[in-house]
Amino acid sequence: MAGAGDELQGIKRGIIEMADGIVINKADGDNLAKAKIAKMDFEGALQLFPPKENGWRPKVSYCSSTENTGIVEIWNIISGYIDKSKETDYFNEKRKQQNKNWLFEAIEQRLKSDFFSDSKISKEIDSYVEQVISKEISPFYAADQLITIFKTRS
């Protein structure tokens, strides 16, 4: 039913699906019992998901920075994930994909920077923006025109 929180539940599920580890912070004092319950709840929920591509099953832990507890356990989760990822070569494959993505992001940023700093574009863009806002032209037509101007620069 719309408005019943289903959308939020879907977002939470998506976040949990992406997690390789979950850490419950502030597990001290009166919160320690609640953190332990939350840990069990998350562990139960994570059992409903299949293992990750590398065979890893996300782990759950809790910690307290004020009591300096749980830090070793968090490090063990991170180390375990790295070990499992290297064992299955997932780590190297993931790194290759990240490098490819970073290349494309760097190209995008450079093109965007060059585009918006171009003197011909800076002279024309406000006019096109106004035409788009006033619905005289479509955003797509404006983009095509501006890109054509950018490509014909000397």
Side-chain angles (χ1 to χ4, degrees):
M1 177 167 50
D6 293 339
E7 298 85 1
L8 184 57
Q9 292 302 322
I11 292 168
K12 287 180 187 176
R13 178 185 167 95
I15 291 169
I16 289 174
E17 284 177 349
M18 292 180 350
D20 297 315
I22 296 174
V23 177
I24 299 141
N25 193 15
K26 300 182 181 182
D28 47 46
D30 294 340
N31 286 329
L32 181 57
K34 293 175 189 172
K36 288 179 178 181
I37 292 169
K39 179 180 186 279
M40 289 188 323
D41 289 345
F42 276 113
E43 287 172 336
L46 287 168
Q47 292 301 312
L48 302 174
F49 295 98
K52 303 285 184 168
E53 292 176 47
N54 62 352
W56 175 257
R57 286 207 168 269
K59 311 289 186 248
V60 183
S61 188
Y62 52 86
C63 69
S64 167
S65 59
T66 58
E67 294 183 2
N68 198 28
T69 57
I71 308 305
V72 170
E73 291 81 359
I74 294 168
W75 182 248
N76 289 339
I77 290 172
I78 294 167
S79 297
Y81 175 81
I82 292 170
D83 291 345
K84 182 70 172 178
S85 294
K86 287 183 176 179
E87 171 188 310
T88 61
D89 204 39
Y90 179 81
F91 188 88
N92 291 328
E93 290 304 314
K94 188 74 167 175
R95 180 64 68 207
K96 288 176 189 176
Q97 187 61 44
Q98 286 173 330
N99 284 334
K100 179 181 170 184
N101 291 342
W102 290 332
L103 167 66
F104 290 142
E105 284 181 29
I107 290 168
E108 268 185 56
Q109 289 301 316
R110 176 67 185 272
L111 286 171
K112 206 177 201 180
S113 175
D114 288 353
F115 179 84
F116 285 108
S117 64
D118 184 87
S119 61
K120 287 184 179 179
I121 297 302
S122 61
K123 288 178 190 171
E124 300 288 338
I125 197 160
D126 288 340
S127 171
Y128 280 95
V129 168
E130 287 301 319
Q131 292 176 68
V132 168
I133 290 172
S134 66
K135 298 182 181 179
E136 295 172 40
I137 60 174
S138 76
F140 308 103
Y141 178 79
D144 286 342
Q145 294 302 302
L146 287 165
I147 290 169
T148 299
I149 291 168
F150 180 68
K151 287 167 55 175
T152 59
R153 67 185 198 267
S154 48

